[in-house]
Amino acid sequence: MHGVTGSLQLNKNVASRPRVVILGAGFGGLNATLTLKHAPVDITLIDRRNYHLFQPLLYQVATAGLSPAQIASPIRRIVAAQRNVTVFMDRVWDIDLAREEVITSQRRIPYDYLIVATGARHTYFGKDDWEIFAPGLKKIDEAIEIRRRILLAFEQAEITEDVETRRRLLSFAIIGGGPTGVEMAGAIAELAKKTVVRDFRNFDPGQARIFLIEAGPRILPSFSERLAESARRQLEKLGVQTVVNQAVTACDQKGVALRNGSRIDAATIILAAGVMASPAAKWLKVPTDRAGRIIVETRLNLPGRRNVFVIGDTASVTDARKRVVPGVAPAAKQMGRYAARAIIALLEGRETQHFVYRDYGDLATIGRKSAVVQIRRFGITGVPAWFLWSFAHIWFLVGFRNRVSVFLDWIWSYVTYQRDARLITGREG
Amino acid sequence: MHGVTGSLQLNKNVASRPRVVILGAGFGGLNATLTLKHAPVDITLIDRRNYHLFQPLLYQVATAGLSPAQIASPIRRIVAAQRNVTVFMDRVWDIDLAREEVITSQRRIPYDYLIVATGARHTYFGKDDWEIFAPGLKKIDEAIEIRRRILLAFEQAEITEDVETRRRLLSFAIIGGGPTGVEMAGAIAELAKKTVVRDFRNFDPGQARIFLIEAGPRILPSFSERLAESARRQLEKLGVQTVVNQAVTACDQKGVALRNGSRIDAATIILAAGVMASPAAKWLKVPTDRAGRIIVETRLNLPGRRNVFVIGDTASVTDARKRVVPGVAPAAKQMGRYAARAIIALLEGRETQHFVYRDYGDLATIGRKSAVVQIRRFGITGVPAWFLWSFAHIWFLVGFRNRVSVFLDWIWSYVTYQRDARLITGREG
């Protein structure tokens, strides 16, 4: 292993600086890369996509509020000036821990330090046949597919002459009452009741029915009970019906079946639940928790490997203060910075600290001027929460250009109620 | 036939106003619809897409300069306030001239007046096997596919260790030296030599080779010889090689073969030639010219049918002054307005004028600060032409929101050389 003692690399020239390989340019991998900007290392950053995605706003692409390019930044542009980084757009096939190499579809890439930050996908709980009926929301292409389905449902409702068909087309079922589900439900309600309300001649889009289905006893389980109840009321005002204590047992093209035997007819079904880590555990041949995440130590390294870090949604972490680290963007960023600093410490022969998660709060928006924010024991709701939510999301967007563009778009939407990315693309075109 | 004499509709109440069916919401169909805003008619506007596309800027989507939503406006939003319009997103299957009905995938829609404005597609000159190697540029999904190929070629050039492969990946062949081909060539050259120039570590993107291949004796045949030569020189300065008098005889995944027996190796091939009208002639069972366009009279109506108009790229028109009307956006808009006014005249029992095309000029951009503009016998080149081009394209974009957004984006790109829609999406994602 290279450089752990801090003396080895002193004997080497620049051409053979320690090699850091980072898998994934999400919040974790990207922040690790940027933190190593001035470190005497050669970084290879590998991602299967050519952009970093600001996932917290992906639901806005799915509901036609933003364009994909507004929440995605080319990875190469972000690190263009950081000369110690080489970016490969490639797929990871395996990791050879014995030879310390990452195997991609094109190359074998040796590492001295490895950061695995390949994120998570959604899972259908073993029911993969749901996928065609209920797309999930993790990738841009999935968001575009969901946008296509939502907009197409309204288009078909205008053409059909059958009342039952129209009713089903104007029904939307969202599976999962976490922040993504809440945000999707609120955005679809707004789309129907505000944005397109004057656009159709054969029906009233305000009649659209939106169902938010949660298996647990309440929506937003990570928030306090008071805030979850506030969110439920705010959603109700927008016309969203929340259905709790009801697991979905089946999906088909006409709707969903619930555990209690009832059905909800809906032409559009969206999966906002079921997160499963990337296949990193398979590459590393290590055990995982139930969500496929690798259980790492409080230094975020693979047990027994001080030079291999697993971070973000790929890792199951209980920090040095015994708190379970949640699968949110700020946590992934903190882990990315931590892993980068740990590598610098190892290179310099210093002892590394344990990882401590700093909880800055949890937030979800429900629609125009309404949101819920949980900062430790404090809760904020309504307009102030919405402003805080908007500010945070614009602030943390990657790239000045995106920040300005999203800011202007939101002002525009705020004044006009318009959602300007209302394009049905993909398939057939 | 309804309303042609101007007396019939006086006997009818509002509920049975003359029915105008418009096929296609491109420049022609949309302008016809808007011109009929205050006419006492019921309009059904049918398009297979839910948006009006500003096709002159489609090459900017294909080269990552703009996002799809910036050049597309939802049709419903454009006509939301025009209460005499119903929009159907649907496909036309046939037209029953005897019963005066349009047959779509969902309905039979009767008309008193019909405007056929279904535009054009590209054609592979009967060689449909070229399609997978050389996508054309008529639809948003095609533009996204071309963008994917261009950006992916650079990504793969970074990964490959084979010099020959890299050379082929960095070669781009554009078939067709008209305005679209010139604009694509200039934009790819700029992308390589300015935008991504600092982004790669294993090669210099400035080495990219761009070939603009034209079968005829010179590029831009619709412009004067002097302007075409100026464009050629401006392209050369950007590193684009123009190849004239050379038809492409074959396409495969390694490049193109030319009539003189030589080959150009290129991983990315783009078809910017070969326009074929939509299948409207088949629906109407009428003969066409070689490009599949329906030959109409100087009142733009189908021979023998005063109430059926064919306009835009679907029509082959020689106007009342014996000039051949070109297949450009301003001509389609003029024809749309003309057809709408002709319907109003028929309704009011007035005689209709013949169609006269007003030629406001022809323009093509080559890159930052360089363009060619032909206004009748006058030609403009370089920076003034570029400003005129930019102004015209922003001015004619549909929707205030798009105008502001594209304007800001161009200022941003102008200052930074960035193209912010550099996302590789579609397929796999």
Side-chain angles (χ1 to χ4, degrees):
Chain A
M1 213 164 73
H2 185 114
V4 166
T5 65
S7 59
L8 265 168
Q9 85 280 8
L10 295 176
N11 306 324
K12 307 224 170 192
N13 58 30
V14 175
S16 62
R17 300 196 297 185
R19 295 157 303 185
V20 177
V21 174
I22 298 173
L23 308 183
F27 289 109
L30 189 61
N31 275 274
T33 306
L34 298 173
T35 305
L36 290 168
K37 183 162 187 174
H38 301 293
V41 294
D42 285 326
I43 304 163
T44 304
L45 175 59
I46 303 172
D47 198 291
R48 56 197 277 201
R49 284 174 223 137
N50 77 326
Y51 50 84
H52 166 77
L53 178 64
F54 191 79
Q55 228 157 22
L57 288 178
L58 195 56
Y59 84 96
Q60 287 257 7
V61 172
T63 53
L66 293 174
S67 281
Q70 290 180 296
I71 61 161
S73 297
I75 297 164
R76 294 196 182 283
R77 199 187 62 210
I78 301 170
V79 298
Q82 187 174 337
R83 303 306 294 184
N84 66 351
V85 185
T86 300
V87 177
F88 287 144
M89 179 183 168
D90 203 350
R91 272 166 197 276
V92 174
W93 279 4
D94 207 351
I95 296 169
D96 186 335
L97 279 174
R99 297 177 57 176
E100 305 206 314
E101 287 178 344
V102 171
I103 300 160
T104 73
S105 75
Q106 304 275 328
R107 290 189 175 215
R108 293 185 78 100
I109 300 164
Y111 63 83
D112 299 304
Y113 298 91
L114 177 63
I115 299 176
V116 179
T118 41
R121 314 163 283 166
H122 45 77
T123 176
Y124 290 89
F125 319 100
K127 294 174 183 167
D128 289 347
D129 56 308
W130 291 16
E131 185 160 11
I132 55 167
F133 307 115
L137 186 62
K138 278 278 172 196
K139 305 180 202 166
I140 280 188
D141 288 295
E142 291 167 343
I144 290 171
E145 173 63 18
I146 290 173
R147 181 178 79 183
R148 200 182 73 81
R149 291 186 186 203
I150 294 170
L151 297 175
L152 212 47
F154 286 106
E155 292 296 334
Q156 289 172 343
E158 179 81 341
I159 295 180
T160 189
E161 290 168 294
D162 181 64
V163 175
E164 263 314 295
T165 304
R166 181 173 294 150
R167 192 178 152 86
R168 193 174 65 243
L169 286 165
L170 293 176
S171 299
F172 301 84
I174 296 143
I175 306 173
T180 303
V182 166
E183 291 175 337
M184 279 299 299
I188 295 173
E190 250 184 30
L191 181 72
K193 283 150 214 263
K194 301 287 181 185
T195 308
V196 302
V197 76
R198 291 194 315 155
D199 287 6
F200 296 92
R201 304 292 182 253
N202 296 331
F203 69 95
D204 170 14
Q207 291 170 351
R209 298 179 314 148
I210 297 118
F211 301 94
L212 181 61
I213 306 165
E214 165 61 37
R218 63 176 171 93
I219 61 167
L220 296 179
S222 65
F223 289 68
S224 75
E225 211 155 316
R226 191 180 69 80
L227 285 182
E229 174 56 21
S230 162
R232 195 195 60 73
R233 277 199 313 270
Q234 293 178 56
L235 283 169
E236 201 172 64
K237 240 189 258 173
L238 283 169
V240 176
Q241 298 176 47
T242 52
V243 180
V244 294
N245 285 317
Q246 286 299 336
V248 170
T249 54
C251 279
D252 59 42
Q253 67 186 45
K254 295 203 160 176
V256 298
L258 303 179
R259 173 145 310 149
N260 69 359
S262 69
R263 278 188 61 90
I264 293 175
D265 280 352
T268 309
I269 309 169
I270 296 155
L271 184 76
V275 171
M276 176 63 81
S278 71
K282 220 173 57 190
W283 306 330
L284 295 167
K285 287 111 201 149
V286 292
T288 69
D289 68 3
R290 276 182 55 202
R293 294 176 304 175
I294 296 166
I295 297 151
V296 294
E297 304 186 340
T298 51
R299 285 191 177 90
L300 306 187
N301 59 305
L302 204 63
R305 300 262 172 189
R306 287 294 296 276
N307 65 333
V308 177
F309 298 85
V310 184
I311 63 172
D313 287 350
T314 313
S316 173
V317 186
T318 305
D319 78 356
R321 295 193 187 153
K322 307 277 177 223
R323 281 177 314 194
V324 174
V325 181
V328 296
K333 287 163 116 171
Q334 290 175 31
M335 288 190 254
R337 271 194 298 271
Y338 171 87
R341 286 181 189 147
I343 289 170
I344 294 168
L346 290 169
L347 286 174
E348 294 173 352
R350 289 187 282 110
E351 190 48 50
T352 54
Q353 305 296 308
H354 295 272
F355 177 69
V356 176
Y357 171 58
R358 267 155 303 172
D359 184 1
Y360 294 116
D362 214 354
L363 56 182
T365 185
I366 292 147
R368 247 168 89 91
K369 293 198 279 186
S370 103
V372 286
V373 174
Q374 175 99 51
I375 301 175
R376 290 174 203 176
R377 282 176 310 140
F378 299 100
I380 310 174
T381 61
V383 179
W386 185 81
F387 275 105
L388 196 59
W389 177 90
S390 305
F391 174 79
H393 280 75
I394 286 172
W395 182 264
F396 287 113
L397 262 177
V398 173
F400 171 75
R401 172 67 187 59
N402 285 336
R403 271 173 231 147
V404 172
S405 160
V406 170
F407 177 68
L408 291 176
D409 252 33
W410 282 353
I411 290 179
W412 175 259
S413 304
Y414 193 85
V415 174
T416 65
Y417 282 104
Q418 284 303 330
R419 297 178 157 254
D420 282 277
R422 273 163 61 190
L423 311 184
I424 299 176
T425 59
R427 305 213 190 156
E428 299 250 9
Chain B
M1 212 166 71
H2 185 114
V4 166
T5 64
S7 59
L8 266 169
Q9 85 281 5
L10 295 177
N11 306 325
K12 307 226 167 190
N13 58 30
V14 174
S16 62
R17 300 197 296 186
R19 295 158 303 186
V20 178
V21 174
I22 299 173
L23 308 184
F27 290 109
L30 189 61
N31 275 273
T33 305
L34 298 173
T35 306
L36 289 168
K37 183 164 188 175
H38 301 294
V41 294
D42 284 325
I43 303 164
T44 304
L45 175 59
I46 303 171
D47 199 290
R48 57 198 275 202
R49 283 173 224 138
N50 77 325
Y51 50 84
H52 166 78
L53 178 63
F54 192 77
Q55 227 156 22
L57 288 178
L58 194 56
Y59 84 95
Q60 288 257 9
V61 172
T63 54
L66 293 175
S67 280
Q70 291 180 295
I71 62 162
S73 297
I75 298 165
R76 295 195 182 280
R77 200 187 59 209
I78 302 170
V79 299
Q82 189 175 335
R83 302 306 296 185
N84 65 352
V85 185
T86 299
V87 177
F88 286 144
M89 179 182 168
D90 203 350
R91 272 165 198 277
V92 174
W93 279 3
D94 207 351
I95 296 169
D96 187 335
L97 279 173
R99 296 176 60 176
E100 305 206 313
E101 287 179 344
V102 171
I103 300 159
T104 73
S105 75
Q106 303 274 330
R107 288 188 176 216
R108 294 184 76 101
I109 300 165
Y111 64 83
D112 299 304
Y113 298 92
L114 177 64
I115 299 177
V116 179
T118 41
R121 314 164 283 168
H122 45 77
T123 176
Y124 290 89
F125 321 100
K127 293 173 184 169
D128 290 345
D129 56 309
W130 291 16
E131 185 159 9
I132 56 167
F133 306 115
L137 187 62
K138 278 278 170 195
K139 305 181 202 164
I140 280 188
D141 288 297
E142 290 166 344
I144 290 171
E145 173 62 17
I146 290 172
R147 181 178 80 184
R148 199 182 74 81
R149 291 186 187 205
I150 294 170
L151 297 175
L152 212 46
F154 287 106
E155 292 296 333
Q156 289 171 343
E158 178 81 340
I159 296 180
T160 188
E161 290 167 293
D162 182 63
V163 175
E164 263 313 296
T165 304
R166 182 175 292 150
R167 193 179 151 86
R168 194 174 65 244
L169 286 166
L170 294 176
S171 299
F172 301 84
I174 296 143
I175 306 173
T180 302
V182 166
E183 291 175 336
M184 278 300 297
I188 295 173
E190 249 184 32
L191 180 72
K193 283 148 214 263
K194 301 286 183 186
T195 308
V196 302
V197 77
R198 292 194 314 153
D199 287 7
F200 297 91
R201 303 292 181 255
N202 297 331
F203 69 95
D204 169 13
Q207 291 170 352
R209 298 178 314 148
I210 298 117
F211 301 93
L212 181 61
I213 306 165
E214 165 61 37
R218 63 176 172 92
I219 61 167
L220 296 178
S222 65
F223 290 68
S224 76
E225 213 155 314
R226 190 179 70 79
L227 285 183
E229 176 54 22
S230 162
R232 195 195 60 74
R233 277 198 313 271
Q234 294 178 57
L235 282 170
E236 203 172 62
K237 238 186 264 172
L238 284 170
V240 176
Q241 298 176 47
T242 52
V243 180
V244 294
N245 285 316
Q246 285 299 338
V248 170
T249 54
C251 281
D252 58 44
Q253 67 186 44
K254 294 203 159 177
V256 299
L258 303 180
R259 176 146 308 151
N260 68 359
S262 69
R263 278 187 61 91
I264 292 174
D265 281 352
T268 309
I269 310 169
I270 296 154
L271 185 76
V275 171
M276 175 62 83
S278 71
K282 221 174 55 190
W283 306 330
L284 295 167
K285 287 113 202 148
V286 292
T288 69
D289 69 2
R290 276 182 54 203
R293 295 176 304 175
I294 296 166
I295 297 152
V296 295
E297 303 185 342
T298 51
R299 284 191 178 89
L300 307 187
N301 60 305
L302 204 63
R305 301 262 171 188
R306 288 293 296 277
N307 65 333
V308 177
F309 298 86
V310 183
I311 64 173
D313 287 349
T314 313
S316 173
V317 185
T318 305
D319 79 356
R321 293 191 188 153
K322 305 279 176 223
R323 282 177 315 195
V324 174
V325 180
V328 295
K333 286 163 117 172
Q334 289 175 31
M335 289 190 253
R337 273 194 297 272
Y338 171 88
R341 286 181 189 147
I343 289 170
I344 294 168
L346 289 168
L347 286 174
E348 293 173 351
R350 288 186 283 110
E351 188 48 50
T352 54
Q353 305 296 308
H354 295 272
F355 177 69
V356 176
Y357 171 59
R358 269 154 302 172
D359 183 2
Y360 293 116
D362 215 353
L363 57 183
T365 185
I366 292 147
R368 246 169 90 89
K369 293 199 278 187
S370 104
V372 287
V373 174
Q374 175 100 50
I375 301 174
R376 289 175 204 176
R377 285 174 308 139
F378 299 99
I380 310 173
T381 62
V383 178
W386 184 81
F387 275 106
L388 196 60
W389 177 91
S390 304
F391 174 79
H393 280 74
I394 286 172
W395 184 264
F396 288 114
L397 261 178
V398 173
F400 170 75
R401 173 68 187 58
N402 286 335
R403 271 173 233 148
V404 172
S405 160
V406 170
F407 177 69
L408 291 176
D409 251 31
W410 282 355
I411 290 178
W412 176 258
S413 304
Y414 193 86
V415 175
T416 64
Y417 283 104
Q418 284 303 330
R419 295 177 157 256
D420 282 278
R422 276 163 61 190
L423 312 184
I424 298 177
T425 59
R427 304 210 192 163
E428 299 253 10

